Amino acid sequence: LDGPNTLSVCDELVLTGSRSTGATAFPLEFHWQLVGHTPSSSEASLLPVVDLLNSTREAVVRIPAASLSVDGTYVFNLTVRN
């Protein structure tokens, strides 16, 4: 899982698992999760991020700046299956 440690206010967050590899010839499936965040945000404010992660099965996910808190810290998990 690669991504930046810090962002500018207007930057989208780009996370990538593109360096992941599998043991078989089957395509990889990516499962993204938001597993932690500060400051404590309401579930409603995090819903756009969670929905985006739940709908993405690709190696790269792009989270718009408007979906993130300016002073927030986020922790993501990536599980790769094939």
Side-chain angles (χ1 to χ4, degrees):
L1 170 61
D2 290 323
N5 288 327
T6 59
L7 296 173
S8 296
V9 174
C10 295
D11 290 346
E12 71 178 351
L13 174 60
V14 179
L15 302 172
T16 181
S18 60
R19 291 194 283 167
S20 300
T21 60
T24 67
F26 296 108
L28 298 177
E29 186 174 293
F30 298 84
H31 297 270
W32 296 93
Q33 292 177 295
L34 174 62
V35 294
H37 54 86
T38 59
S40 296
S41 301
S42 71
E43 293 297 319
S45 67
L46 292 171
L47 197 53
V49 175
V50 172
D51 285 346
L52 176 64
L53 295 175
N54 287 339
S55 67
T56 302
R57 295 292 176 253
E58 302 298 323
V60 177
V61 63
R62 296 177 180 278
I63 302 172
S67 298
L68 302 169
S69 173
V70 172
D71 59 348
T73 299
Y74 299 86
V75 179
F76 297 92
N77 183 62
L78 172 62
T79 303
V80 181
R81 297 183 187 135
N82 77 335

